[in-house]
Amino acid sequence: MNIVQFIVSMLLFFVLFFGISFLLNMILRSSWIMSVVYPVIVLFIVDDFPWTNYFSQPGTAFPDVFSHIANLKVVDIVILASGFAGTIVAGLVIKKLRKSGYQMF
């Protein structure tokens, strides 16, 4: 992966999860809902098996996905962390807007 792809991927994950988190926070009126759900989304991004394995074979699914997470490259970790940063910034923006008096948020 070259540097341009890396920067675009970081920006894309940040903006994507900022937008999703902002909308969910606005609809559900909870500032940190997406920040709590984001680790589950990371599990679904990293794994390479059906999500039903988490319920039908949890003894093999969780160790397998955690080994995948442990084997991630630094570039992948930074990209996923930028998505998490997007969820945190969206929560902060929602809280700031609510303090400023915007009732729809």
Side-chain angles (χ1 to χ4, degrees), residues 18-19 21-23 25-27 29 31-32 88-105:
F18 176 87
S21 180
F22 189 86
L23 290 173
N25 290 338
M26 188 172 55
I27 292 170
R29 298 192 53 86
S31 298
W32 304 110
I88 291 172
V89 170
L92 294 173
V93 167
I94 287 286
K95 287 188 94 49
K96 180 75 171 171
L97 286 171
R98 285 188 186 133
K99 280 187 177 179
S100 297
Y102 289 97
Q103 295 299 320
M104 62 187 283
F105 298 110

Side-chain angles (χ1 to χ4, degrees), residues 8-26:
V8 168
S9 297
M10 283 177 46
L11 184 64
L12 179 67
F13 263 66
F14 182 86
V15 170
L16 177 74
F17 284 104
F18 176 87
I20 292 170
S21 180
F22 189 86
L23 290 173
L24 278 177
N25 290 338
M26 188 172 55

Side-chain angles (χ1 to χ4, degrees), residues 1-100:
M1 173 180 290
N2 64 25
I3 192 72
V4 174
Q5 288 176 331
F6 177 63
I7 292 171
V8 168
S9 297
M10 283 177 46
L11 184 64
L12 179 67
F13 263 66
F14 182 86
V15 170
L16 177 74
F17 284 104
F18 176 87
I20 292 170
S21 180
F22 189 86
L23 290 173
L24 278 177
N25 290 338
M26 188 172 55
I27 292 170
L28 300 176
R29 298 192 53 86
S30 173
S31 298
W32 304 110
I33 188 74
M34 192 62 184
S35 296
V36 174
V37 175
Y38 187 76
V40 176
I41 294 171
V42 168
L43 291 179
F44 289 140
I45 291 172
V46 172
D47 71 1
D48 58 352
F49 48 82
W51 64 273
T52 56
N53 284 7
Y54 289 109
F55 302 106
S56 63
Q57 302 169 354
T60 59
F62 284 104
D64 189 28
V65 76
F66 289 138
S67 70
H68 279 89
I69 290 172
N71 293 329
L72 286 176
K73 295 187 175 22
V74 174
V75 173
D76 298 327
I77 293 170
V78 170
I79 291 170
L80 291 171
S82 67
F84 187 63
T87 64
I88 291 172
V89 170
L92 294 173
V93 167
I94 287 286
K95 287 188 94 49
K96 180 75 171 171
L97 286 171
R98 285 188 186 133
K99 280 187 177 179
S100 297

